[in-house]
Every structure is written in structure tokens, then in C-alpha cells.
Short mmCIF file of all heavy atoms in Angstrom, two decimals:
data_model
loop_
_atom_site.label_atom_id
_atom_site.label_comp_id
_atom_site.label_asym_id
_atom_site.label_seq_id
_atom_site.Cartn_x
_atom_site.Cartn_y
_atom_site.Cartn_z
N TYR A 1 -135.35 -43.64 27.66
CA TYR A 1 -134.56 -44.31 26.63
C TYR A 1 -134.37 -43.48 25.38
O TYR A 1 -133.40 -43.65 24.66
CB TYR A 1 -135.17 -45.67 26.28
CG TYR A 1 -136.54 -45.63 25.66
CD1 TYR A 1 -136.74 -45.23 24.33
CD2 TYR A 1 -137.66 -46.05 26.38
CE1 TYR A 1 -137.99 -45.23 23.77
CE2 TYR A 1 -138.92 -46.04 25.82
CZ TYR A 1 -139.08 -45.63 24.51
OH TYR A 1 -140.32 -45.62 23.96
N ASP A 2 -135.27 -42.55 25.10
CA ASP A 2 -135.15 -41.76 23.87
C ASP A 2 -133.84 -41.00 23.82
O ASP A 2 -133.26 -40.78 22.76
CB ASP A 2 -136.31 -40.78 23.73
CG ASP A 2 -137.60 -41.46 23.30
OD1 ASP A 2 -137.49 -42.48 22.60
OD2 ASP A 2 -138.67 -40.99 23.68
N GLU A 3 -133.36 -40.57 24.98
CA GLU A 3 -132.14 -39.78 25.01
C GLU A 3 -130.88 -40.65 25.04
O GLU A 3 -129.78 -40.16 24.84
CB GLU A 3 -132.14 -38.89 26.25
CG GLU A 3 -133.29 -37.87 26.27
CD GLU A 3 -133.30 -37.07 27.54
OE1 GLU A 3 -132.41 -37.29 28.38
OE2 GLU A 3 -134.19 -36.21 27.70
N LYS A 4 -131.05 -41.94 25.27
CA LYS A 4 -129.90 -42.80 25.50
C LYS A 4 -129.66 -43.83 24.40
O LYS A 4 -128.61 -44.46 24.38
CB LYS A 4 -130.07 -43.53 26.83
CG LYS A 4 -130.15 -42.60 28.03
CD LYS A 4 -130.33 -43.39 29.31
CE LYS A 4 -130.41 -42.49 30.52
NZ LYS A 4 -130.60 -43.25 31.77
N LEU A 5 -130.62 -44.00 23.51
CA LEU A 5 -130.50 -45.04 22.48
C LEU A 5 -130.25 -44.43 21.11
O LEU A 5 -130.79 -43.39 20.77
CB LEU A 5 -131.78 -45.88 22.43
CG LEU A 5 -132.07 -46.80 23.61
CD1 LEU A 5 -133.42 -47.46 23.41
CD2 LEU A 5 -131.00 -47.84 23.77
N ASP A 6 -129.42 -45.11 20.33
CA ASP A 6 -129.30 -44.79 18.91
C ASP A 6 -130.14 -45.81 18.16
O ASP A 6 -129.96 -47.01 18.31
CB ASP A 6 -127.84 -44.89 18.45
CG ASP A 6 -126.98 -43.79 19.04
OD1 ASP A 6 -127.51 -42.67 19.19
OD2 ASP A 6 -125.82 -44.06 19.37
N GLY A 7 -131.05 -45.35 17.34
CA GLY A 7 -131.95 -46.25 16.62
C GLY A 7 -133.28 -46.35 17.34
O GLY A 7 -133.41 -45.99 18.51
N PRO A 8 -134.32 -46.81 16.64
CA PRO A 8 -135.66 -46.87 17.22
C PRO A 8 -135.75 -47.84 18.39
O PRO A 8 -135.16 -48.92 18.37
CB PRO A 8 -136.53 -47.33 16.04
CG PRO A 8 -135.58 -48.02 15.11
CD PRO A 8 -134.28 -47.31 15.26
N ALA A 9 -136.51 -47.47 19.38
CA ALA A 9 -136.60 -48.29 20.59
C ALA A 9 -137.24 -49.64 20.34
O ALA A 9 -136.97 -50.60 21.06
CB ALA A 9 -137.39 -47.54 21.65
N TRP A 10 -138.10 -49.74 19.31
CA TRP A 10 -138.79 -51.02 19.10
C TRP A 10 -137.82 -52.15 18.78
O TRP A 10 -138.09 -53.32 19.09
CB TRP A 10 -139.85 -50.91 18.02
CG TRP A 10 -139.38 -50.56 16.64
CD1 TRP A 10 -139.32 -49.31 16.09
CD2 TRP A 10 -138.92 -51.46 15.62
NE1 TRP A 10 -138.85 -49.37 14.81
CE2 TRP A 10 -138.60 -50.68 14.49
CE3 TRP A 10 -138.76 -52.84 15.56
CZ2 TRP A 10 -138.11 -51.24 13.31
CZ3 TRP A 10 -138.28 -53.40 14.38
CH2 TRP A 10 -137.97 -52.60 13.27
N ILE A 11 -136.68 -51.81 18.19
CA ILE A 11 -135.68 -52.85 17.93
C ILE A 11 -135.23 -53.49 19.24
O ILE A 11 -135.15 -54.72 19.37
CB ILE A 11 -134.46 -52.26 17.20
CG1 ILE A 11 -134.81 -51.98 15.74
CG2 ILE A 11 -133.26 -53.19 17.26
CD1 ILE A 11 -135.05 -53.21 14.91
N TYR A 12 -134.96 -52.66 20.22
CA TYR A 12 -134.49 -53.18 21.49
C TYR A 12 -135.64 -53.82 22.28
O TYR A 12 -135.44 -54.82 22.96
CB TYR A 12 -133.84 -52.05 22.29
CG TYR A 12 -132.69 -51.40 21.55
CD1 TYR A 12 -132.88 -50.26 20.78
CD2 TYR A 12 -131.42 -51.96 21.59
CE1 TYR A 12 -131.83 -49.69 20.08
CE2 TYR A 12 -130.36 -51.39 20.90
CZ TYR A 12 -130.57 -50.26 20.14
OH TYR A 12 -129.53 -49.69 19.44
N LEU A 13 -136.82 -53.24 22.18
CA LEU A 13 -137.97 -53.81 22.87
C LEU A 13 -138.27 -55.22 22.38
O LEU A 13 -138.53 -56.13 23.15
CB LEU A 13 -139.21 -52.92 22.68
CG LEU A 13 -139.31 -51.70 23.58
CD1 LEU A 13 -140.43 -50.78 23.11
CD2 LEU A 13 -139.56 -52.12 25.02
N GLN A 14 -138.25 -55.41 21.07
CA GLN A 14 -138.49 -56.75 20.52
C GLN A 14 -137.41 -57.72 20.97
O GLN A 14 -137.67 -58.91 21.15
CB GLN A 14 -138.56 -56.69 18.99
CG GLN A 14 -139.85 -56.09 18.47
CD GLN A 14 -139.97 -56.22 16.97
OE1 GLN A 14 -139.05 -56.65 16.28
NE2 GLN A 14 -141.12 -55.85 16.44
N SER A 15 -136.21 -57.23 21.12
CA SER A 15 -135.11 -58.09 21.54
C SER A 15 -135.25 -58.52 23.00
O SER A 15 -134.65 -59.51 23.42
CB SER A 15 -133.77 -57.36 21.36
OG SER A 15 -133.60 -56.97 20.01
N LEU A 16 -136.03 -57.78 23.77
CA LEU A 16 -136.17 -58.05 25.20
C LEU A 16 -137.41 -58.86 25.55
O LEU A 16 -137.54 -59.33 26.67
CB LEU A 16 -136.24 -56.72 25.97
CG LEU A 16 -134.94 -55.94 26.09
CD1 LEU A 16 -135.23 -54.52 26.57
CD2 LEU A 16 -134.01 -56.63 27.07
N ARG A 17 -138.31 -59.03 24.61
CA ARG A 17 -139.61 -59.61 24.91
C ARG A 17 -139.53 -61.13 25.06
O ARG A 17 -139.08 -61.83 24.16
CB ARG A 17 -140.58 -59.24 23.80
CG ARG A 17 -142.03 -59.59 24.08
CD ARG A 17 -142.90 -59.13 22.94
NE ARG A 17 -142.81 -57.69 22.76
CZ ARG A 17 -143.20 -57.06 21.65
NH1 ARG A 17 -143.65 -57.74 20.63
NH2 ARG A 17 -143.11 -55.75 21.58
N ASN A 18 -139.99 -61.64 26.18
CA ASN A 18 -140.08 -63.08 26.36
C ASN A 18 -141.07 -63.66 25.35
O ASN A 18 -142.17 -63.12 25.15
CB ASN A 18 -140.54 -63.42 27.78
CG ASN A 18 -139.40 -63.53 28.75
OD1 ASN A 18 -138.99 -64.62 29.12
ND2 ASN A 18 -138.88 -62.38 29.19
N GLN A 19 -140.68 -64.75 24.74
CA GLN A 19 -141.52 -65.36 23.71
C GLN A 19 -142.82 -65.90 24.29
O GLN A 19 -143.88 -65.83 23.65
CB GLN A 19 -140.74 -66.48 23.01
CG GLN A 19 -139.51 -65.96 22.29
CD GLN A 19 -138.49 -67.06 22.00
OE1 GLN A 19 -138.42 -67.57 20.89
NE2 GLN A 19 -137.71 -67.43 23.00
N ILE A 20 -142.75 -66.43 25.50
CA ILE A 20 -143.93 -67.03 26.11
C ILE A 20 -145.06 -66.02 26.26
O ILE A 20 -146.25 -66.38 26.18
CB ILE A 20 -143.57 -67.68 27.46
CG1 ILE A 20 -144.71 -68.58 27.94
CG2 ILE A 20 -143.20 -66.63 28.49
CD1 ILE A 20 -144.35 -69.39 29.18
N SER A 21 -144.72 -64.76 26.45
CA SER A 21 -145.75 -63.74 26.64
C SER A 21 -146.58 -63.53 25.37
O SER A 21 -147.75 -63.14 25.45
CB SER A 21 -145.12 -62.41 27.07
OG SER A 21 -144.33 -61.86 26.02
N ARG A 22 -146.01 -63.80 24.22
CA ARG A 22 -146.69 -63.54 22.95
C ARG A 22 -147.55 -64.72 22.50
O ARG A 22 -148.34 -64.57 21.57
CB ARG A 22 -145.67 -63.17 21.88
CG ARG A 22 -144.93 -61.89 22.22
CD ARG A 22 -143.89 -61.55 21.17
NE ARG A 22 -144.49 -61.35 19.87
CZ ARG A 22 -143.81 -61.33 18.73
NH1 ARG A 22 -142.50 -61.53 18.75
NH2 ARG A 22 -144.42 -61.13 17.58
N ILE A 23 -147.38 -65.86 23.14
CA ILE A 23 -148.21 -67.01 22.78
C ILE A 23 -149.14 -67.40 23.93
O ILE A 23 -149.72 -68.48 23.94
CB ILE A 23 -147.35 -68.22 22.36
CG1 ILE A 23 -146.39 -68.64 23.48
CG2 ILE A 23 -146.59 -67.91 21.07
CD1 ILE A 23 -145.58 -69.89 23.17
N SER A 24 -149.25 -66.49 24.90
CA SER A 24 -150.09 -66.72 26.07
C SER A 24 -151.18 -65.67 26.16
O SER A 24 -151.04 -64.54 25.69
CB SER A 24 -149.26 -66.69 27.35
OG SER A 24 -148.28 -67.69 27.36
#
């Protein structure tokens, strides 16, 4: 992804994370 994304990857990672995983 480093070669394919503009902007830091964490922005996209946070956008992809299921909410249930963070409260479980």
C-alpha cells in the first residue's frame, strides 16, 4: 500500500475497521 496510496495508511485503515472488533 505504501506505493499505491496518497496520504498516511492509518486514515484508510481506520476507515476499514469494523467497530465491533474494537469493543470486543
Side-chain angles (χ1 to χ4, degrees):
Y1 64 74
D2 284 330
E3 298 177 1
K4 299 180 180 179
L5 291 176
D6 291 324
W10 62 266
I11 286 292
Y12 302 94
L13 279 170
Q14 286 188 353
S15 302
L16 287 166
R17 189 178 300 163
N18 272 257
Q19 297 161 100
I20 193 172
S21 67
R22 297 179 61 195
I23 58 176
S24 298

